[in-house]
Amino acid sequence: MSDATSPGPAPDALELAALLSSRVCHDLISPVGAIVNGLEVLDDNPKPEDKEFALDLIRKSAKTASARLQFCRLAFGAAGSAGAQIDLGDAQTMARGHLEDNKTKIEWNLPRLLLPKNKVKLLLNMMIIAQQTIPRGGLLKVDPVGEGEPTGFRITATGINARLPQNIVDMLTADQVGNIDAHAVQPYYTRLLAEGTGLKVTMVLENEAAVVTAA
């Protein structure tokens, strides 16, 4: 059986859309399922303490689902008309809502300005990749590349046992790709966004930190 980087045809536009849709659905299944579970508990006439537990579960899961939807709309969706620009302040809000938790924090060092939407989508997808290098949590440091308006981005992920998933590295840099599924489509999409904005994404280990750069 061939691996994710074996030579093969890249997905066409229709297949790419389907794979990205699957990726978004995968991100939403968990919080939406938790909401359903909470409602089922409430339907069973629970004890007061069980009722409060169910309501708390529903509140937290609804907040998580909303944050993920807003992030995915910006990172994967159309996010406005062709040629639209997006406020980096809005991107920061979405990134914190989706990626920050009790294990992972974000240090955002980008100026607040408008950038072309595909460049902002690239940034958010780079942050998803960077987060995957620190499975036990840590710090995502987001810096600009270039003076004034950023020409690119650098994300440094620092955490215990930071690692570079080889399948992601290959999907970002390999000359040929094949067998792209819903798990591999996100780094492949990141690569397409970078190419569309005239940039190249690299991913390396530096001083036990994973660094994802678009330049």
Side-chain angles (χ1 to χ4, degrees), residues 60 63-64 67-68 71 91-109 124 127-128 131 134 137-142:
K60 290 180 179 178
K63 183 178 180 180
T64 297
R68 290 185 182 182
F71 181 91
Q92 178 184 182
T93 299
M94 302 304 172
R96 290 191 186 279
H98 177 45
L99 300 176
E100 272 196 324
D101 54 27
N102 60 350
K103 296 194 305 180
T104 303
K105 301 302 177 186
I106 295 172
E107 180 184 325
W108 188 275
N109 298 318
L124 295 179
M127 293 185 72
I128 296 174
Q131 185 196 35
I134 46 173
L139 177 68
L140 298 177
K141 185 170 176 281
V142 186

Side-chain angles (χ1 to χ4, degrees), residues 111 113 115 144-151:
L113 45 75
L115 288 182
V145 173
E147 300 294 331
E149 179 176 315
T151 56

Side-chain angles (χ1 to χ4, degrees), residues 46-126:
K47 299 176 182 178
E49 59 270 24
D50 292 335
K51 179 179 179 180
E52 184 54 39
F53 171 81
L55 288 172
D56 186 54
L57 176 64
I58 291 170
R59 291 188 197 100
K60 290 180 179 178
S61 300
K63 183 178 180 180
T64 297
S66 177
R68 290 185 182 182
L69 271 173
Q70 292 179 62
F71 181 91
C72 289
R73 177 179 178 271
L74 203 56
F76 304 128
S81 60
Q85 293 189 313
I86 296 174
D87 189 330
L88 278 178
D90 293 337
Q92 178 184 182
T93 299
M94 302 304 172
R96 290 191 186 279
H98 177 45
L99 300 176
E100 272 196 324
D101 54 27
N102 60 350
K103 296 194 305 180
T104 303
K105 301 302 177 186
I106 295 172
E107 180 184 325
W108 188 275
N109 298 318
L110 300 179
R112 180 155 194 171
L113 45 75
L114 296 173
L115 288 182
K117 70 174 184 179
N118 279 350
K119 188 170 278 191
V120 177
K121 289 157 70 75
L122 170 61
L123 168 63
L124 295 179
N125 277 273
M126 289 171 60

